[in-house]
Amino acid sequence: MSLMSFQELTQSELERYDRQILIPGWGLEGQKRLKNAKVAVVGVGGLGCPASLYLTAVGVGRIRIIDKEKFELSNLNRQILGYQTDLGRFKVHVAREKLKMLNPGVEVEPIVAEVTRDNVHEVVGDVDVVVDGMDNWRTRLVLNEYCVSHGIPFIHAAVSEMYGQITTIVAGNGPCLKCIFPRTPPEAEKTPVLGATPALLASLQVMEVVKLIIGIGEPLIGRMLFIDGRTMRFEEVRVEKREDCPVCGSKR
Amino acid sequence: MRVKVKYFALLRKLAGKREEDVEIDEETRVEELLEKLSERYGERFRDYVYGVGEFRGLTLMFLLNGRNIELMDGFKTRLRDGDTLSILPPVVGG
């Protein structure tokens, strides 16, 4: 966020965001912070579609959406930015169109790419927060490393069936993904999932993003919230930082 | 001594509870605790925990007081009084 380009709120924005500006601790200052923030959503799937929708609705000024895929029929049970008529189109292009229709004041930057260790600097770039919308650990760990080394908060979430997990990673304040998962967990070719599950987790991710940008509440750092939709119970598990973590440890 | 075990996902069904305190001997290892629980909850519980049989290929995450047991001695890790062991399923999708 550079002070030079700090933007004030317009009359129409004051009206659009009225109900959230009323939230204690939010106010005009909070809304201005959102307007001047930049967030990357990596993966426009079951998590990334609802996450980018709510980030757009809440008025994050610039949203970078990254995904290399095109919409397929089997995506539509959960990737709610993709409609029947969007099959075969790049997800990020479809998403940008719809997000702009929802809120034209938000700058949406679509990037057709797969994040790798080699391109992560360029593709994710200089943002205030990164939202995990990935479906694999390989890329998550690349993002984790990038975010830790650049001091960018990273909101991890993952889903399966009616289960989900979420934790907020802020380098130096708590564990990173590598502390929690020292060995890369198994990947899955096809994950069974009820669409409402990633929607729930994406909502939680957006709440974390907003809290961090505005500076309210208590982030989910050092805690992993596990959601069990089958029994509809939410429970958190403590997760500890490793001093000897190869990614974030002070005794690397 | 006593440790707390927290179950997630299918384990809640197999154990019929979300968590419990288990009385164990000093120096008990994680695998000995899992063995004791498997005897209590049956073959399916054991298969699930170790990722064998019906659950072949499944790898659970075992967090001991917030640290992955892979960072210690894995299943050989010794438990101490008051420890909390959380057993979580792998969740990868997005």
CSV table of all heavy atoms in Angstrom, one decimal, chain A residues 45-47 134-135 137 140 158-160 163 180-183 188 224 226 228 233 235-240 242, chain B residues 6-10 12 18-19 57-59 61 63 65-68 70-71 86 88-94:
chain,number,residue,atom,x,y,z
A,45,GLY,N,-11.3,-22.2,-7.9
A,45,GLY,CA,-12.1,-23.5,-7.8
A,45,GLY,C,-13.1,-23.3,-6.8
A,45,GLY,O,-13.8,-22.3,-6.6
A,46,GLY,N,-13.3,-24.4,-6.1
A,46,GLY,CA,-14.3,-24.5,-5.0
A,46,GLY,C,-14.1,-23.4,-3.9
A,46,GLY,O,-15.1,-22.9,-3.4
A,47,LEU,N,-12.9,-23.2,-3.6
A,47,LEU,CA,-12.5,-22.2,-2.6
A,47,LEU,C,-12.4,-20.8,-3.2
A,47,LEU,O,-13.0,-19.8,-2.8
A,47,LEU,CB,-11.2,-22.5,-1.9
A,47,LEU,CG,-11.1,-23.7,-1.0
A,47,LEU,CD1,-9.7,-24.0,-0.7
A,47,LEU,CD2,-11.9,-23.4,0.3
A,134,MET,N,-5.9,-23.6,-3.7
A,134,MET,CA,-5.3,-24.7,-4.4
A,134,MET,C,-6.0,-26.0,-4.1
A,134,MET,O,-6.6,-26.2,-3.1
A,134,MET,CB,-3.8,-24.8,-4.0
A,134,MET,CG,-3.0,-23.6,-4.6
A,134,MET,SD,-3.4,-23.1,-6.2
A,134,MET,CE,-3.2,-24.6,-7.1
A,135,ASP,N,-5.7,-27.0,-5.0
A,135,ASP,CA,-6.2,-28.3,-4.7
A,135,ASP,C,-5.0,-29.3,-4.6
A,135,ASP,O,-5.2,-30.5,-4.7
A,135,ASP,CB,-7.1,-28.8,-5.9
A,135,ASP,CG,-6.4,-28.7,-7.2
A,135,ASP,OD1,-5.2,-28.3,-7.3
A,135,ASP,OD2,-7.0,-29.0,-8.3
A,137,TRP,N,-0.9,-30.0,-2.7
A,137,TRP,CA,0.1,-29.5,-1.7
A,137,TRP,C,1.4,-29.0,-2.3
A,137,TRP,O,2.0,-28.1,-1.7
A,137,TRP,CB,0.4,-30.7,-0.7
A,137,TRP,CG,-0.7,-30.9,0.2
A,137,TRP,CD1,-1.7,-31.9,0.1
A,137,TRP,CD2,-1.0,-30.1,1.4
A,137,TRP,NE1,-2.6,-31.7,1.2
A,137,TRP,CE2,-2.1,-30.6,1.9
A,137,TRP,CE3,-0.4,-29.0,2.0
A,137,TRP,CZ2,-2.7,-30.1,3.1
A,137,TRP,CZ3,-0.9,-28.5,3.1
A,137,TRP,CH2,-2.1,-29.0,3.7
A,140,ARG,N,0.7,-25.4,-2.8
A,140,ARG,CA,0.5,-24.7,-1.4
A,140,ARG,C,1.9,-24.5,-0.8
A,140,ARG,O,2.1,-23.4,-0.2
A,140,ARG,CB,-0.3,-25.7,-0.5
A,140,ARG,CG,-1.8,-25.6,-0.8
A,140,ARG,CD,-2.6,-26.2,0.4
A,140,ARG,NE,-4.0,-26.1,0.1
A,140,ARG,CZ,-4.7,-27.2,-0.4
A,140,ARG,NH1,-4.2,-28.4,-0.5
A,140,ARG,NH2,-6.0,-27.0,-0.6
A,158,ALA,N,-8.3,-26.1,3.0
A,158,ALA,CA,-8.4,-27.3,2.2
A,158,ALA,C,-9.7,-28.0,2.6
A,158,ALA,O,-10.2,-27.8,3.7
A,158,ALA,CB,-7.2,-28.2,2.4
A,159,VAL,N,-10.3,-28.7,1.6
A,159,VAL,CA,-11.6,-29.4,1.8
A,159,VAL,C,-11.6,-30.8,1.3
A,159,VAL,O,-10.8,-31.2,0.4
A,159,VAL,CB,-12.7,-28.6,1.2
A,159,VAL,CG1,-12.9,-27.3,1.8
A,159,VAL,CG2,-12.5,-28.5,-0.3
A,160,SER,N,-12.5,-31.6,1.8
A,160,SER,CA,-12.7,-32.9,1.3
A,160,SER,C,-14.1,-33.4,1.9
A,160,SER,O,-14.4,-33.1,3.1
A,160,SER,CB,-11.6,-33.9,1.9
A,160,SER,OG,-11.9,-35.2,1.4
A,163,TYR,N,-15.6,-32.1,5.0
A,163,TYR,CA,-14.6,-31.7,6.0
A,163,TYR,C,-13.8,-30.5,5.4
A,163,TYR,O,-13.7,-30.4,4.2
A,163,TYR,CB,-13.6,-32.8,6.3
A,163,TYR,CG,-14.3,-34.1,6.8
A,163,TYR,CD1,-14.1,-35.3,6.1
A,163,TYR,CD2,-15.1,-34.1,7.9
A,163,TYR,CE1,-14.6,-36.5,6.5
A,163,TYR,CE2,-15.6,-35.3,8.3
A,163,TYR,CZ,-15.4,-36.5,7.6
A,163,TYR,OH,-16.0,-37.6,8.1
A,180,ILE,N,3.6,-27.4,10.1
A,180,ILE,CA,2.5,-28.3,10.4
A,180,ILE,C,2.6,-29.6,9.6
A,180,ILE,O,2.3,-30.6,10.1
A,180,ILE,CB,1.2,-27.6,10.1
A,180,ILE,CG1,1.1,-26.2,10.8
A,180,ILE,CG2,0.0,-28.4,10.6
A,180,ILE,CD1,0.0,-25.3,10.4
A,181,PHE,N,3.0,-29.4,8.4
A,181,PHE,CA,3.1,-30.6,7.5
A,181,PHE,C,4.6,-30.8,7.0
A,181,PHE,O,4.9,-30.4,5.9
A,181,PHE,CB,2.2,-30.4,6.2
A,181,PHE,CG,0.8,-30.2,6.6
A,181,PHE,CD1,0.3,-28.9,6.7
A,181,PHE,CD2,-0.1,-31.3,6.8
A,181,PHE,CE1,-1.1,-28.7,7.0
A,181,PHE,CE2,-1.4,-31.1,7.1
A,181,PHE,CZ,-1.9,-29.8,7.2
A,182,PRO,N,5.4,-31.3,7.9
A,182,PRO,CA,6.9,-31.5,7.5
A,182,PRO,C,7.1,-32.3,6.3
A,182,PRO,O,8.0,-32.1,5.5
A,182,PRO,CB,7.5,-32.1,8.8
A,182,PRO,CG,6.3,-32.6,9.6
A,182,PRO,CD,5.1,-31.9,9.2
A,183,ARG,N,6.2,-33.3,6.1
A,183,ARG,CA,6.3,-34.1,4.9
A,183,ARG,C,5.1,-33.8,4.1
A,183,ARG,O,4.0,-33.6,4.6
A,183,ARG,CB,6.2,-35.6,5.3
A,183,ARG,CG,7.4,-36.4,4.7
A,183,ARG,CD,7.4,-37.8,5.0
A,183,ARG,NE,6.4,-38.3,5.9
A,183,ARG,CZ,6.1,-39.6,6.1
A,183,ARG,NH1,6.7,-40.5,5.4
A,183,ARG,NH2,5.2,-39.9,7.0
A,188,ALA,N,-4.4,-35.8,-4.1
A,188,ALA,CA,-5.6,-36.6,-4.6
A,188,ALA,C,-5.9,-36.2,-6.0
A,188,ALA,O,-5.9,-35.0,-6.4
A,188,ALA,CB,-6.7,-36.3,-3.7
A,224,MET,N,-5.5,-24.4,14.0
A,224,MET,CA,-6.1,-24.9,12.8
A,224,MET,C,-7.5,-25.3,13.1
A,224,MET,O,-7.8,-26.1,14.0
A,224,MET,CB,-5.3,-26.0,12.2
A,224,MET,CG,-5.8,-26.3,10.8
A,224,MET,SD,-4.6,-27.3,9.8
A,224,MET,CE,-4.9,-28.8,10.6
A,226,PHE,N,-10.8,-27.1,12.4
A,226,PHE,CA,-11.2,-28.3,11.6
A,226,PHE,C,-12.7,-28.3,11.6
A,226,PHE,O,-13.4,-28.3,12.6
A,226,PHE,CB,-10.6,-29.5,12.2
A,226,PHE,CG,-10.8,-30.7,11.3
A,226,PHE,CD1,-9.9,-30.9,10.2
A,226,PHE,CD2,-11.9,-31.5,11.4
A,226,PHE,CE1,-10.1,-32.0,9.4
A,226,PHE,CE2,-12.1,-32.6,10.5
A,226,PHE,CZ,-11.2,-32.8,9.5
A,228,ASP,N,-16.2,-30.2,10.6
A,228,ASP,CA,-16.7,-31.5,10.3
A,228,ASP,C,-18.2,-31.3,10.0
A,228,ASP,O,-19.0,-31.2,10.9
A,228,ASP,CB,-16.5,-32.4,11.5
A,228,ASP,CG,-17.1,-33.8,11.3
A,228,ASP,OD1,-17.9,-34.0,10.4
A,228,ASP,OD2,-16.7,-34.8,12.0
A,233,ARG,N,-19.7,-30.0,13.6
A,233,ARG,CA,-19.0,-29.6,14.7
A,233,ARG,C,-17.7,-28.9,14.2
A,233,ARG,O,-17.0,-29.4,13.3
A,233,ARG,CB,-18.6,-30.7,15.6
A,233,ARG,CG,-19.8,-31.2,16.4
A,233,ARG,CD,-19.4,-32.3,17.3
A,233,ARG,NE,-20.5,-33.1,17.8
A,233,ARG,CZ,-21.3,-32.7,18.8
A,233,ARG,NH1,-21.0,-31.6,19.5
A,233,ARG,NH2,-22.3,-33.5,19.2
A,235,GLU,N,-14.0,-27.5,15.4
A,235,GLU,CA,-13.1,-27.6,16.5
A,235,GLU,C,-11.7,-27.2,16.1
A,235,GLU,O,-11.2,-27.4,15.0
A,235,GLU,CB,-13.0,-29.1,17.0
A,235,GLU,CG,-12.3,-29.2,18.3
A,235,GLU,CD,-12.6,-30.6,19.0
A,235,GLU,OE1,-13.6,-31.3,18.5
A,235,GLU,OE2,-12.0,-30.9,19.9
A,236,GLU,N,-11.0,-26.5,17.0
A,236,GLU,CA,-9.7,-26.0,16.6
A,236,GLU,C,-8.6,-26.9,17.3
A,236,GLU,O,-8.8,-27.4,18.4
A,236,GLU,CB,-9.4,-24.6,16.9
A,236,GLU,CG,-9.5,-24.2,18.4
A,236,GLU,CD,-9.2,-22.7,18.6
A,236,GLU,OE1,-9.9,-21.9,18.0
A,236,GLU,OE2,-8.3,-22.4,19.4
A,237,VAL,N,-7.5,-27.0,16.6
A,237,VAL,CA,-6.3,-27.8,17.1
A,237,VAL,C,-5.2,-26.8,17.1
A,237,VAL,O,-5.0,-26.0,16.2
A,237,VAL,CB,-6.0,-28.9,16.1
A,237,VAL,CG1,-4.9,-29.8,16.6
A,237,VAL,CG2,-7.2,-29.7,15.7
A,238,ARG,N,-4.4,-26.9,18.2
A,238,ARG,CA,-3.3,-26.0,18.3
A,238,ARG,C,-2.2,-26.5,17.3
A,238,ARG,O,-2.0,-27.7,17.1
A,238,ARG,CB,-2.7,-26.2,19.8
A,238,ARG,CG,-1.8,-25.2,20.2
A,238,ARG,CD,-1.5,-25.5,21.7
A,238,ARG,NE,-0.2,-26.0,21.8
A,238,ARG,CZ,0.3,-26.7,22.9
A,238,ARG,NH1,-0.6,-27.0,23.9
A,238,ARG,NH2,1.5,-27.1,23.0
A,239,VAL,N,-1.5,-25.6,16.7
A,239,VAL,CA,-0.4,-25.9,15.8
A,239,VAL,C,0.8,-25.0,16.2
A,239,VAL,O,0.6,-23.8,16.4
A,239,VAL,CB,-0.8,-25.8,14.3
A,239,VAL,CG1,-1.5,-27.0,13.8
A,239,VAL,CG2,-1.5,-24.5,14.0
A,240,GLU,N,1.9,-25.7,16.3
A,240,GLU,CA,3.1,-25.0,16.9
A,240,GLU,C,4.1,-24.7,15.8
A,240,GLU,O,4.4,-25.4,14.9
A,240,GLU,CB,3.8,-25.9,17.9
A,240,GLU,CG,2.9,-26.1,19.2
A,240,GLU,CD,3.1,-25.0,20.2
A,240,GLU,OE1,4.1,-24.4,20.3
A,240,GLU,OE2,2.1,-24.7,20.9
A,242,ARG,N,7.9,-24.3,14.5
A,242,ARG,CA,9.2,-25.0,14.7
A,242,ARG,C,10.3,-24.1,14.6
A,242,ARG,O,10.5,-23.5,13.5
A,242,ARG,CB,9.4,-26.1,13.6
A,242,ARG,CG,8.6,-27.3,13.7
A,242,ARG,CD,8.8,-28.1,12.4
A,242,ARG,NE,10.1,-28.5,12.3
A,242,ARG,CZ,10.6,-29.1,11.2
A,242,ARG,NH1,9.9,-29.2,10.1
A,242,ARG,NH2,11.9,-29.5,11.1
B,6,LYS,N,-7.8,-36.7,20.7
B,6,LYS,CA,-8.9,-36.0,20.0
B,6,LYS,C,-9.1,-36.6,18.6
B,6,LYS,O,-8.1,-36.8,17.9
B,6,LYS,CB,-8.6,-34.5,19.8
B,6,LYS,CG,-8.6,-33.8,21.2
B,6,LYS,CD,-8.1,-32.3,21.0
B,6,LYS,CE,-9.3,-31.4,20.8
B,6,LYS,NZ,-9.0,-30.0,21.1
B,7,TYR,N,-10.3,-37.0,18.3
B,7,TYR,CA,-10.6,-37.7,17.1
B,7,TYR,C,-11.3,-36.7,16.1
B,7,TYR,O,-12.1,-35.9,16.5
B,7,TYR,CB,-11.6,-38.9,17.3
B,7,TYR,CG,-11.1,-39.9,18.3
B,7,TYR,CD1,-11.7,-40.0,19.5
B,7,TYR,CD2,-10.0,-40.7,18.0
B,7,TYR,CE1,-11.2,-41.0,20.5
B,7,TYR,CE2,-9.5,-41.6,18.9
B,7,TYR,CZ,-10.1,-41.8,20.1
B,7,TYR,OH,-9.7,-42.7,21.0
B,8,PHE,N,-11.0,-37.0,14.8
B,8,PHE,CA,-11.7,-36.2,13.8
B,8,PHE,C,-12.2,-37.1,12.7
B,8,PHE,O,-11.8,-38.2,12.5
B,8,PHE,CB,-10.7,-35.1,13.2
B,8,PHE,CG,-10.3,-34.1,14.2
B,8,PHE,CD1,-9.3,-34.3,15.1
B,8,PHE,CD2,-11.1,-32.9,14.3
B,8,PHE,CE1,-9.0,-33.3,16.1
B,8,PHE,CE2,-10.8,-31.9,15.2
B,8,PHE,CZ,-9.7,-32.1,16.1
B,9,ALA,N,-13.1,-36.5,11.9
B,9,ALA,CA,-13.7,-37.2,10.8
B,9,ALA,C,-14.2,-38.6,11.1
B,9,ALA,O,-14.9,-38.8,12.2
B,9,ALA,CB,-12.7,-37.3,9.6
B,10,LEU,N,-13.9,-39.7,10.3
B,10,LEU,CA,-14.4,-41.0,10.5
B,10,LEU,C,-14.1,-41.6,11.9
B,10,LEU,O,-14.8,-42.4,12.5
B,10,LEU,CB,-13.9,-41.9,9.4
B,10,LEU,CG,-14.5,-43.3,9.4
B,10,LEU,CD1,-16.0,-43.3,9.1
B,10,LEU,CD2,-13.8,-44.2,8.3
B,12,ARG,N,-14.3,-40.3,14.7
B,12,ARG,CA,-15.3,-39.9,15.6
B,12,ARG,C,-16.4,-41.0,15.6
B,12,ARG,O,-17.0,-41.3,16.7
B,12,ARG,CB,-15.9,-38.6,15.3
B,12,ARG,CG,-15.0,-37.4,15.6
B,12,ARG,CD,-15.6,-36.1,15.4
B,12,ARG,NE,-14.6,-35.1,15.8
B,12,ARG,CZ,-14.8,-33.8,15.5
B,12,ARG,NH1,-15.9,-33.3,14.9
B,12,ARG,NH2,-13.9,-32.9,15.9
B,18,ARG,N,-15.7,-37.7,20.4
B,18,ARG,CA,-14.8,-36.7,19.8
B,18,ARG,C,-13.5,-36.6,20.5
B,18,ARG,O,-12.5,-36.3,19.9
B,18,ARG,CB,-15.5,-35.3,19.9
B,18,ARG,CG,-16.7,-35.2,19.0
B,18,ARG,CD,-17.6,-34.1,19.4
B,18,ARG,NE,-16.9,-32.8,19.2
B,18,ARG,CZ,-17.3,-31.7,19.9
B,18,ARG,NH1,-18.2,-31.7,20.8
B,18,ARG,NH2,-16.6,-30.6,19.7
B,19,GLU,N,-13.5,-37.0,21.7
B,19,GLU,CA,-12.2,-37.0,22.5
B,19,GLU,C,-12.4,-37.8,23.7
B,19,GLU,O,-13.5,-38.1,24.2
B,19,GLU,CB,-11.8,-35.6,22.8
B,19,GLU,CG,-12.7,-34.8,23.7
B,19,GLU,CD,-12.1,-33.5,24.2
B,19,GLU,OE1,-11.8,-32.6,23.4
B,19,GLU,OE2,-11.9,-33.4,25.4
B,57,GLY,N,-3.4,-46.7,1.8
B,57,GLY,CA,-3.0,-45.5,1.1
B,57,GLY,C,-3.3,-44.2,1.9
B,57,GLY,O,-2.9,-43.1,1.6
B,58,LEU,N,-4.2,-44.3,2.9
B,58,LEU,CA,-4.6,-43.2,3.7
B,58,LEU,C,-3.5,-42.8,4.7
B,58,LEU,O,-2.9,-43.7,5.3
B,58,LEU,CB,-5.8,-43.6,4.6
B,58,LEU,CG,-6.5,-42.5,5.4
B,58,LEU,CD1,-7.1,-41.4,4.6
B,58,LEU,CD2,-7.5,-43.1,6.4
B,59,THR,N,-3.2,-41.5,4.8
B,59,THR,CA,-2.1,-41.1,5.7
B,59,THR,C,-2.8,-40.0,6.6
B,59,THR,O,-3.1,-38.9,6.1
B,59,THR,CB,-0.9,-40.4,5.0
B,59,THR,OG1,-0.5,-41.3,3.9
B,59,THR,CG2,0.2,-40.2,5.9
B,61,MET,N,-2.8,-37.4,10.0
B,61,MET,CA,-1.9,-36.5,10.6
B,61,MET,C,-2.0,-36.6,12.1
B,61,MET,O,-3.1,-36.5,12.6
B,61,MET,CB,-2.1,-35.0,10.2
B,61,MET,CG,-1.2,-34.1,10.9
B,61,MET,SD,-1.1,-32.4,10.2
B,61,MET,CE,-2.7,-31.8,10.5
B,63,LEU,N,-1.0,-35.0,15.5
B,63,LEU,CA,-0.4,-33.8,16.2
B,63,LEU,C,-0.3,-34.0,17.7
B,63,LEU,O,-1.3,-34.3,18.3
B,63,LEU,CB,-1.2,-32.6,15.9
B,63,LEU,CG,-1.2,-32.0,14.5
B,63,LEU,CD1,-2.1,-30.8,14.4
B,63,LEU,CD2,0.1,-31.7,14.0
B,65,ASN,N,0.4,-32.3,21.0
B,65,ASN,CA,0.6,-30.9,21.5
B,65,ASN,C,0.9,-29.9,20.4
B,65,ASN,O,1.7,-29.0,20.6
B,65,ASN,CB,1.6,-30.8,22.6
B,65,ASN,CG,1.4,-31.8,23.7
B,65,ASN,OD1,0.3,-32.1,24.1
B,65,ASN,ND2,2.5,-32.4,24.2
B,66,GLY,N,0.2,-30.1,19.3
B,66,GLY,CA,0.4,-29.1,18.2
B,66,GLY,C,1.6,-29.4,17.3
B,66,GLY,O,1.8,-28.6,16.3
B,67,ARG,N,2.4,-30.4,17.5
B,67,ARG,CA,3.5,-30.7,16.7
B,67,ARG,C,3.3,-32.1,16.0
B,67,ARG,O,2.9,-33.0,16.7
B,67,ARG,CB,4.8,-30.7,17.5
B,67,ARG,CG,5.3,-29.4,17.9
B,67,ARG,CD,6.5,-29.5,18.8
B,67,ARG,NE,7.6,-30.0,18.1
B,67,ARG,CZ,8.6,-29.2,17.6
B,67,ARG,NH1,8.5,-27.9,17.7
B,67,ARG,NH2,9.6,-29.7,16.9
B,68,ASN,N,3.6,-32.1,14.7
B,68,ASN,CA,3.5,-33.3,14.0
B,68,ASN,C,4.5,-34.4,14.5
B,68,ASN,O,5.6,-34.1,14.7
B,68,ASN,CB,3.8,-33.0,12.5
B,68,ASN,CG,3.3,-34.1,11.6
B,68,ASN,OD1,3.5,-35.3,11.8
B,68,ASN,ND2,2.5,-33.7,10.6
B,70,GLU,N,5.9,-36.7,13.1
B,70,GLU,CA,7.0,-36.9,12.2
B,70,GLU,C,8.2,-36.1,12.6
B,70,GLU,O,9.3,-36.5,12.2
B,70,GLU,CB,6.6,-36.5,10.8
B,70,GLU,CG,5.5,-37.4,10.1
B,70,GLU,CD,5.0,-36.9,8.8
B,70,GLU,OE1,5.6,-35.9,8.3
B,70,GLU,OE2,4.0,-37.4,8.4
B,71,LEU,N,8.0,-35.1,13.3
B,71,LEU,CA,9.1,-34.2,13.8
B,71,LEU,C,9.8,-34.8,15.0
B,71,LEU,O,10.8,-34.4,15.4
B,71,LEU,CB,8.7,-32.8,14.1
B,71,LEU,CG,8.1,-32.1,12.9
B,71,LEU,CD1,7.4,-30.8,13.4
B,71,LEU,CD2,9.2,-31.7,11.9
B,86,SER,N,-3.9,-35.3,18.7
B,86,SER,CA,-5.0,-35.1,17.8
B,86,SER,C,-4.8,-35.9,16.5
B,86,SER,O,-3.7,-35.8,16.0
B,86,SER,CB,-5.2,-33.6,17.4
B,86,SER,OG,-5.3,-32.8,18.6
B,88,LEU,N,-5.9,-36.3,12.7
B,88,LEU,CA,-6.7,-35.7,11.7
B,88,LEU,C,-6.6,-36.4,10.4
B,88,LEU,O,-5.6,-36.9,10.0
B,88,LEU,CB,-6.2,-34.2,11.6
B,88,LEU,CG,-6.5,-33.4,12.8
B,88,LEU,CD1,-5.2,-32.8,13.3
B,88,LEU,CD2,-7.4,-32.2,12.5
B,89,PRO,N,-7.7,-36.3,9.6
B,89,PRO,CA,-7.6,-36.9,8.2
B,89,PRO,C,-6.9,-36.0,7.3
B,89,PRO,O,-6.8,-34.8,7.5
B,89,PRO,CB,-9.1,-37.0,7.8
B,89,PRO,CG,-9.7,-35.8,8.5
B,89,PRO,CD,-9.0,-35.6,9.8
B,90,PRO,N,-6.4,-36.5,6.1
B,90,PRO,CA,-5.8,-35.6,5.2
B,90,PRO,C,-6.9,-34.9,4.4
B,90,PRO,O,-7.9,-35.4,4.1
B,90,PRO,CB,-5.1,-36.6,4.2
B,90,PRO,CG,-5.8,-37.9,4.3
B,90,PRO,CD,-6.4,-37.9,5.7
B,91,VAL,N,-6.7,-33.6,4.2
B,91,VAL,CA,-7.7,-32.8,3.5
B,91,VAL,C,-6.9,-32.0,2.4
B,91,VAL,O,-5.9,-31.3,2.8
B,91,VAL,CB,-8.4,-31.8,4.4
B,91,VAL,CG1,-9.4,-31.0,3.7
B,91,VAL,CG2,-9.0,-32.5,5.6
B,92,VAL,N,-7.2,-32.2,1.2
B,92,VAL,CA,-6.3,-31.7,0.1
B,92,VAL,C,-7.0,-30.8,-0.8
B,92,VAL,O,-6.5,-29.8,-1.4
B,92,VAL,CB,-5.5,-32.8,-0.6
B,92,VAL,CG1,-6.4,-33.8,-1.3
B,92,VAL,CG2,-4.6,-32.2,-1.7
B,93,GLY,N,-8.3,-31.0,-1.0
B,93,GLY,CA,-9.0,-30.3,-2.1
B,93,GLY,C,-9.2,-28.8,-2.0
B,93,GLY,O,-9.0,-28.3,-0.9
B,94,GLY,N,-9.6,-28.2,-3.1
B,94,GLY,CA,-9.8,-26.8,-3.1
B,94,GLY,C,-10.9,-26.5,-4.0
B,94,GLY,O,-11.2,-25.4,-4.4
